[in-house]
Short mmCIF file of all heavy atoms in Angstrom, two decimals:
data_model
loop_
_atom_site.label_atom_id
_atom_site.label_comp_id
_atom_site.label_asym_id
_atom_site.label_seq_id
_atom_site.Cartn_x
_atom_site.Cartn_y
_atom_site.Cartn_z
N PHE C 109 107.01 82.63 -18.52
CA PHE C 109 106.32 81.54 -17.84
C PHE C 109 105.54 80.71 -18.81
O PHE C 109 105.59 79.45 -18.74
CB PHE C 109 105.30 82.21 -16.79
CG PHE C 109 104.17 81.29 -16.34
CD1 PHE C 109 104.44 80.22 -15.52
CD2 PHE C 109 102.90 81.49 -16.82
CE1 PHE C 109 103.46 79.34 -15.12
CE2 PHE C 109 101.89 80.65 -16.41
CZ PHE C 109 102.15 79.59 -15.59
N ASN C 110 104.89 81.33 -19.74
CA ASN C 110 104.17 80.63 -20.77
C ASN C 110 104.99 79.65 -21.63
O ASN C 110 104.71 78.50 -21.93
CB ASN C 110 103.37 81.65 -21.65
CG ASN C 110 102.43 81.02 -22.57
OD1 ASN C 110 101.80 80.07 -22.25
ND2 ASN C 110 102.32 81.58 -23.77
N LEU C 111 106.20 80.16 -22.05
CA LEU C 111 107.10 79.30 -22.80
C LEU C 111 107.60 78.17 -21.95
O LEU C 111 107.80 77.02 -22.46
CB LEU C 111 108.33 80.13 -23.24
CG LEU C 111 108.15 81.07 -24.37
CD1 LEU C 111 109.43 81.89 -24.62
CD2 LEU C 111 107.83 80.30 -25.68
N LEU C 112 107.82 78.38 -20.67
CA LEU C 112 108.27 77.33 -19.76
C LEU C 112 107.22 76.25 -19.62
O LEU C 112 107.52 75.03 -19.67
CB LEU C 112 108.62 77.93 -18.41
CG LEU C 112 109.92 78.72 -18.35
CD1 LEU C 112 109.97 79.54 -16.99
CD2 LEU C 112 111.13 77.82 -18.39
N GLU C 113 105.96 76.70 -19.50
CA GLU C 113 104.85 75.73 -19.37
C GLU C 113 104.72 74.94 -20.69
O GLU C 113 104.57 73.74 -20.66
CB GLU C 113 103.53 76.50 -19.10
CG GLU C 113 103.32 76.76 -17.67
CD GLU C 113 102.96 75.48 -16.88
OE1 GLU C 113 101.88 75.01 -16.82
OE2 GLU C 113 103.93 74.98 -16.26
N THR C 114 104.79 75.60 -21.83
CA THR C 114 104.74 74.79 -23.08
C THR C 114 105.86 73.83 -23.16
O THR C 114 105.67 72.69 -23.59
CB THR C 114 104.81 75.85 -24.33
OG1 THR C 114 103.95 76.96 -24.01
CG2 THR C 114 104.43 75.20 -25.53
N SER C 115 107.04 74.22 -22.69
CA SER C 115 108.22 73.34 -22.82
C SER C 115 108.04 72.18 -21.85
O SER C 115 108.37 71.04 -22.17
CB SER C 115 109.45 74.15 -22.44
OG SER C 115 109.66 75.21 -23.27
N ARG C 116 107.46 72.48 -20.64
CA ARG C 116 107.29 71.40 -19.66
C ARG C 116 106.32 70.37 -20.18
O ARG C 116 106.54 69.16 -19.97
CB ARG C 116 106.74 71.99 -18.39
CG ARG C 116 106.39 71.03 -17.29
CD ARG C 116 106.15 71.68 -15.99
NE ARG C 116 104.88 72.25 -15.79
CZ ARG C 116 103.86 71.65 -15.15
NH1 ARG C 116 104.02 70.45 -14.64
NH2 ARG C 116 102.70 72.32 -15.00
N ASN C 117 105.29 70.80 -20.92
CA ASN C 117 104.34 69.89 -21.49
C ASN C 117 104.90 68.95 -22.51
O ASN C 117 104.26 67.89 -22.79
CB ASN C 117 103.12 70.63 -22.05
CG ASN C 117 102.32 71.31 -20.92
OD1 ASN C 117 102.38 70.89 -19.82
ND2 ASN C 117 101.63 72.35 -21.27
N ARG C 118 105.99 69.31 -23.08
CA ARG C 118 106.61 68.35 -24.01
C ARG C 118 108.06 68.12 -23.65
O ARG C 118 109.00 68.01 -24.43
CB ARG C 118 106.54 68.83 -25.48
CG ARG C 118 106.80 70.31 -25.69
CD ARG C 118 106.55 70.69 -27.11
NE ARG C 118 107.57 70.11 -27.98
CZ ARG C 118 107.31 69.36 -29.08
NH1 ARG C 118 106.04 69.12 -29.43
NH2 ARG C 118 108.29 68.93 -29.82
N LYS C 119 108.20 67.90 -22.30
CA LYS C 119 109.55 67.77 -21.78
C LYS C 119 110.38 66.70 -22.42
O LYS C 119 111.57 66.81 -22.66
CB LYS C 119 109.49 67.51 -20.26
CG LYS C 119 110.81 67.80 -19.51
CD LYS C 119 110.62 67.70 -18.03
CE LYS C 119 110.71 66.29 -17.59
NZ LYS C 119 110.31 66.07 -16.20
N ASN C 120 109.70 65.59 -22.74
CA ASN C 120 110.50 64.44 -23.30
C ASN C 120 111.10 64.80 -24.63
O ASN C 120 112.10 64.18 -25.07
CB ASN C 120 109.62 63.23 -23.37
CG ASN C 120 109.27 62.78 -21.99
OD1 ASN C 120 109.90 63.13 -21.05
ND2 ASN C 120 108.13 62.05 -21.93
N ARG C 121 110.48 65.78 -25.35
CA ARG C 121 111.09 66.14 -26.63
C ARG C 121 112.08 67.26 -26.51
O ARG C 121 112.76 67.56 -27.48
CB ARG C 121 109.91 66.64 -27.57
CG ARG C 121 108.96 65.62 -28.04
CD ARG C 121 109.57 64.67 -29.10
NE ARG C 121 110.17 65.48 -30.21
CZ ARG C 121 111.37 65.32 -30.68
NH1 ARG C 121 112.15 64.44 -30.19
NH2 ARG C 121 111.80 66.05 -31.70
N LEU C 122 112.12 67.90 -25.35
CA LEU C 122 112.93 69.17 -25.30
C LEU C 122 114.34 68.91 -24.81
O LEU C 122 114.54 68.36 -23.67
CB LEU C 122 112.28 70.18 -24.38
CG LEU C 122 112.67 71.64 -24.73
CD1 LEU C 122 111.93 72.11 -25.96
CD2 LEU C 122 112.43 72.55 -23.62
N ALA C 123 115.35 69.22 -25.65
CA ALA C 123 116.73 68.94 -25.20
C ALA C 123 117.36 70.10 -24.43
O ALA C 123 118.19 69.97 -23.61
CB ALA C 123 117.57 68.65 -26.42
N ARG C 124 116.87 71.33 -24.72
CA ARG C 124 117.48 72.50 -24.08
C ARG C 124 116.50 73.73 -24.16
O ARG C 124 115.94 73.98 -25.22
CB ARG C 124 118.80 72.84 -24.78
CG ARG C 124 119.53 74.09 -24.28
CD ARG C 124 119.86 73.94 -22.76
NE ARG C 124 120.59 72.76 -22.36
CZ ARG C 124 121.94 72.73 -22.32
NH1 ARG C 124 122.64 73.75 -22.63
NH2 ARG C 124 122.55 71.66 -21.92
N PHE C 125 116.43 74.48 -23.06
CA PHE C 125 115.70 75.75 -23.00
C PHE C 125 116.78 76.71 -22.52
O PHE C 125 117.15 76.72 -21.39
CB PHE C 125 114.55 75.66 -22.01
CG PHE C 125 113.72 76.94 -21.97
CD1 PHE C 125 112.44 76.99 -22.46
CD2 PHE C 125 114.22 78.13 -21.45
CE1 PHE C 125 111.65 78.10 -22.47
CE2 PHE C 125 113.47 79.26 -21.33
CZ PHE C 125 112.13 79.27 -21.82
N HIS C 126 117.23 77.58 -23.51
CA HIS C 126 118.27 78.55 -23.10
C HIS C 126 117.62 79.93 -22.97
O HIS C 126 116.99 80.45 -23.87
CB HIS C 126 119.43 78.62 -24.12
CG HIS C 126 120.50 79.62 -23.65
ND1 HIS C 126 121.23 79.39 -22.56
CD2 HIS C 126 120.79 80.87 -24.07
CE1 HIS C 126 122.03 80.45 -22.28
NE2 HIS C 126 121.75 81.34 -23.20
N HIS C 127 117.84 80.49 -21.79
CA HIS C 127 117.24 81.79 -21.44
C HIS C 127 118.24 82.91 -21.47
O HIS C 127 119.29 82.80 -20.81
CB HIS C 127 116.63 81.69 -20.05
CG HIS C 127 115.99 82.95 -19.52
ND1 HIS C 127 114.94 83.57 -20.18
CD2 HIS C 127 116.27 83.74 -18.44
CE1 HIS C 127 114.63 84.63 -19.47
NE2 HIS C 127 115.42 84.79 -18.45
N ILE C 128 117.98 83.99 -22.29
CA ILE C 128 118.91 85.12 -22.37
C ILE C 128 118.58 86.17 -21.35
O ILE C 128 117.47 86.69 -21.34
CB ILE C 128 118.79 85.75 -23.76
CG1 ILE C 128 118.89 84.74 -24.93
CG2 ILE C 128 119.82 86.88 -23.93
CD1 ILE C 128 120.21 84.16 -25.08
N SER C 129 119.51 86.37 -20.45
CA SER C 129 119.17 87.42 -19.45
C SER C 129 120.32 88.49 -19.42
O SER C 129 121.18 88.50 -20.32
CB SER C 129 118.91 86.85 -18.08
OG SER C 129 118.37 87.80 -17.25
N THR C 130 120.27 89.32 -18.36
CA THR C 130 121.11 90.48 -18.34
C THR C 130 121.84 90.62 -17.05
O THR C 130 121.41 90.12 -15.97
CB THR C 130 120.20 91.73 -18.51
OG1 THR C 130 120.93 92.96 -18.21
CG2 THR C 130 118.98 91.70 -17.58
N ASP C 131 123.02 91.35 -17.11
CA ASP C 131 123.73 91.60 -15.84
C ASP C 131 122.94 92.63 -14.96
O ASP C 131 123.33 92.75 -13.75
CB ASP C 131 125.15 92.15 -16.16
CG ASP C 131 125.16 93.38 -16.96
OD1 ASP C 131 124.13 93.93 -17.36
OD2 ASP C 131 126.29 93.91 -17.30
N GLU C 132 121.97 93.27 -15.51
CA GLU C 132 121.22 94.28 -14.69
C GLU C 132 120.48 93.65 -13.50
O GLU C 132 120.11 94.37 -12.57
CB GLU C 132 120.30 95.06 -15.60
CG GLU C 132 120.96 95.76 -16.70
CD GLU C 132 120.18 97.00 -17.20
OE1 GLU C 132 119.22 97.40 -16.58
OE2 GLU C 132 120.61 97.50 -18.21
N VAL C 133 120.25 92.34 -13.57
CA VAL C 133 119.57 91.70 -12.43
C VAL C 133 120.38 91.79 -11.15
O VAL C 133 119.79 91.77 -10.08
CB VAL C 133 119.26 90.18 -12.70
CG1 VAL C 133 118.33 89.99 -13.86
CG2 VAL C 133 120.53 89.39 -12.94
N TYR C 134 121.69 91.95 -11.25
CA TYR C 134 122.56 91.98 -10.07
C TYR C 134 122.59 93.36 -9.36
O TYR C 134 123.16 93.57 -8.36
CB TYR C 134 124.00 91.64 -10.44
CG TYR C 134 124.21 90.28 -11.06
CD1 TYR C 134 124.76 90.11 -12.31
CD2 TYR C 134 123.79 89.11 -10.37
CE1 TYR C 134 125.01 88.82 -12.86
CE2 TYR C 134 124.01 87.81 -10.91
CZ TYR C 134 124.57 87.75 -12.17
OH TYR C 134 124.74 86.51 -12.72
N GLY C 135 121.95 94.38 -10.03
CA GLY C 135 121.96 95.73 -9.44
C GLY C 135 123.23 96.45 -9.81
O GLY C 135 123.80 96.25 -10.85
N SER C 136 123.69 97.34 -8.93
CA SER C 136 124.78 98.24 -9.25
C SER C 136 126.03 97.85 -8.44
O SER C 136 125.96 97.53 -7.25
CB SER C 136 124.38 99.68 -8.94
OG SER C 136 125.36 100.55 -9.39
N LEU C 137 127.22 98.00 -9.09
CA LEU C 137 128.48 97.83 -8.36
C LEU C 137 129.00 99.23 -7.99
O LEU C 137 128.70 100.25 -8.62
CB LEU C 137 129.51 97.20 -9.31
CG LEU C 137 129.33 95.77 -9.66
CD1 LEU C 137 130.23 95.37 -10.87
CD2 LEU C 137 129.67 94.83 -8.50
N GLY C 138 129.83 99.27 -6.94
CA GLY C 138 130.62 100.44 -6.62
C GLY C 138 131.84 100.48 -7.50
O GLY C 138 131.84 99.95 -8.58
N LYS C 139 132.91 101.18 -6.96
CA LYS C 139 134.12 101.34 -7.80
C LYS C 139 134.78 100.02 -8.12
O LYS C 139 135.35 99.84 -9.16
CB LYS C 139 135.11 102.20 -7.04
CG LYS C 139 134.87 103.70 -7.21
CD LYS C 139 136.19 104.44 -7.06
CE LYS C 139 136.13 105.85 -7.60
NZ LYS C 139 135.11 106.69 -6.92
N ASP C 140 134.69 99.01 -7.14
CA ASP C 140 135.45 97.77 -7.27
C ASP C 140 134.49 96.60 -7.47
O ASP C 140 133.24 96.73 -7.24
CB ASP C 140 136.28 97.46 -6.02
CG ASP C 140 137.20 98.67 -5.73
OD1 ASP C 140 137.85 99.12 -6.66
OD2 ASP C 140 137.22 99.09 -4.53
N GLY C 141 135.10 95.45 -7.80
CA GLY C 141 134.32 94.24 -7.82
C GLY C 141 133.73 93.88 -9.19
O GLY C 141 133.71 94.73 -10.06
N TYR C 142 133.24 92.66 -9.26
CA TYR C 142 132.67 92.16 -10.55
C TYR C 142 131.46 91.35 -10.23
O TYR C 142 131.34 90.71 -9.14
CB TYR C 142 133.68 91.30 -11.32
CG TYR C 142 134.88 92.08 -11.76
CD1 TYR C 142 135.96 92.25 -10.94
CD2 TYR C 142 134.84 92.73 -13.02
CE1 TYR C 142 137.03 92.97 -11.36
CE2 TYR C 142 135.90 93.46 -13.45
CZ TYR C 142 137.04 93.61 -12.55
OH TYR C 142 138.11 94.33 -12.99
N PHE C 143 130.50 91.30 -11.20
CA PHE C 143 129.38 90.28 -11.04
C PHE C 143 129.87 88.88 -11.33
O PHE C 143 130.48 88.67 -12.39
CB PHE C 143 128.26 90.63 -12.04
CG PHE C 143 127.60 91.96 -11.85
CD1 PHE C 143 127.35 92.78 -12.95
CD2 PHE C 143 127.21 92.40 -10.61
CE1 PHE C 143 126.76 94.04 -12.78
CE2 PHE C 143 126.53 93.67 -10.47
CZ PHE C 143 126.26 94.43 -11.56
N VAL C 144 129.60 87.98 -10.42
CA VAL C 144 129.80 86.55 -10.73
C VAL C 144 128.46 85.91 -10.76
O VAL C 144 127.47 86.48 -10.31
CB VAL C 144 130.76 85.87 -9.73
CG1 VAL C 144 132.16 86.37 -9.83
CG2 VAL C 144 130.27 86.04 -8.28
N GLU C 145 128.40 84.64 -11.06
CA GLU C 145 127.11 83.95 -11.20
C GLU C 145 126.35 83.85 -9.95
O GLU C 145 125.12 83.69 -9.94
CB GLU C 145 127.29 82.54 -11.88
CG GLU C 145 127.65 82.60 -13.36
CD GLU C 145 129.10 82.97 -13.69
OE1 GLU C 145 129.92 83.18 -12.74
OE2 GLU C 145 129.46 82.95 -14.82
N THR C 146 127.07 83.92 -8.79
CA THR C 146 126.40 83.82 -7.45
C THR C 146 126.12 85.13 -6.87
O THR C 146 125.65 85.16 -5.73
CB THR C 146 127.29 82.95 -6.55
OG1 THR C 146 128.63 83.47 -6.57
CG2 THR C 146 127.35 81.48 -6.97
N THR C 147 126.40 86.26 -7.53
CA THR C 147 126.06 87.53 -6.94
C THR C 147 124.59 87.62 -6.64
O THR C 147 123.74 87.32 -7.56
CB THR C 147 126.47 88.72 -7.93
OG1 THR C 147 127.89 88.57 -8.18
CG2 THR C 147 126.17 90.03 -7.35
N PRO C 148 124.18 88.10 -5.47
CA PRO C 148 122.72 88.18 -5.18
C PRO C 148 122.01 89.11 -6.08
O PRO C 148 122.63 90.13 -6.51
CB PRO C 148 122.68 88.66 -3.72
CG PRO C 148 124.05 88.45 -3.14
CD PRO C 148 125.01 88.49 -4.31
N TYR C 149 120.76 88.83 -6.37
CA TYR C 149 119.98 89.69 -7.28
C TYR C 149 119.51 90.94 -6.51
O TYR C 149 119.02 90.84 -5.36
CB TYR C 149 118.72 88.94 -7.82
CG TYR C 149 119.06 88.08 -9.03
CD1 TYR C 149 120.25 87.51 -9.22
CD2 TYR C 149 118.04 87.85 -9.98
CE1 TYR C 149 120.53 86.76 -10.33
CE2 TYR C 149 118.27 87.02 -11.09
CZ TYR C 149 119.49 86.50 -11.28
OH TYR C 149 119.78 85.74 -12.36
N GLN C 150 119.65 92.13 -7.14
CA GLN C 150 119.15 93.39 -6.57
C GLN C 150 118.80 94.35 -7.70
O GLN C 150 119.39 95.40 -7.90
CB GLN C 150 120.26 93.96 -5.70
CG GLN C 150 119.77 94.83 -4.60
CD GLN C 150 120.84 95.27 -3.61
OE1 GLN C 150 122.02 94.88 -3.70
NE2 GLN C 150 120.41 96.19 -2.80
N PRO C 151 117.74 93.97 -8.47
CA PRO C 151 117.44 94.82 -9.64
C PRO C 151 116.92 96.16 -9.30
O PRO C 151 116.22 96.29 -8.26
CB PRO C 151 116.32 93.97 -10.36
CG PRO C 151 115.74 93.13 -9.26
CD PRO C 151 116.84 92.78 -8.31
N SER C 152 117.19 97.16 -10.08
CA SER C 152 116.80 98.56 -9.81
C SER C 152 115.60 99.03 -10.59
O SER C 152 114.86 99.86 -10.06
CB SER C 152 117.99 99.54 -10.16
OG SER C 152 119.12 99.08 -9.48
N SER C 153 115.46 98.63 -11.80
CA SER C 153 114.41 99.19 -12.71
C SER C 153 113.31 98.17 -12.90
O SER C 153 113.53 96.96 -12.71
CB SER C 153 114.99 99.53 -14.07
OG SER C 153 115.33 98.38 -14.71
N PRO C 154 112.12 98.61 -13.36
CA PRO C 154 111.09 97.61 -13.67
C PRO C 154 111.61 96.56 -14.71
O PRO C 154 111.27 95.44 -14.64
CB PRO C 154 109.95 98.49 -14.24
CG PRO C 154 110.10 99.78 -13.58
CD PRO C 154 111.63 99.98 -13.43
N TYR C 155 112.41 97.05 -15.69
CA TYR C 155 113.01 96.14 -16.67
C TYR C 155 113.84 95.01 -15.97
O TYR C 155 113.60 93.84 -16.21
CB TYR C 155 113.92 96.90 -17.67
CG TYR C 155 114.84 95.97 -18.40
CD1 TYR C 155 114.34 95.04 -19.37
CD2 TYR C 155 116.22 95.96 -18.20
CE1 TYR C 155 115.24 94.14 -20.01
CE2 TYR C 155 117.05 95.14 -18.87
CZ TYR C 155 116.57 94.22 -19.82
OH TYR C 155 117.38 93.36 -20.47
N SER C 156 114.79 95.46 -15.13
CA SER C 156 115.70 94.46 -14.55
C SER C 156 114.94 93.57 -13.56
O SER C 156 115.22 92.40 -13.44
CB SER C 156 116.93 95.07 -13.93
OG SER C 156 116.63 96.08 -13.11
#
Side-chain angles (χ1 to χ4, degrees):
F109 162 70
N110 189 35
L111 282 175
L112 287 166
E113 275 291 277
T114 315
S115 303
R116 175 165 83 97
N117 290 336
R118 43 183 291 125
K119 198 174 81 191
N120 296 338
R121 289 287 308 130
L122 206 78
R124 179 58 55 91
F125 184 110
H126 182 69
H127 177 61
I128 308 291
S129 192
T130 168
D131 58 0
E132 299 205 10
V133 296
Y134 301 124
S136 187
L137 290 165
K139 277 207 162 61
D140 306 312
Y142 294 89
F143 295 135
V144 291
E145 286 77 2
T146 50
T147 300
Y149 276 29
Q150 206 173 354
S152 306
S153 68
Y155 163 69
S156 50

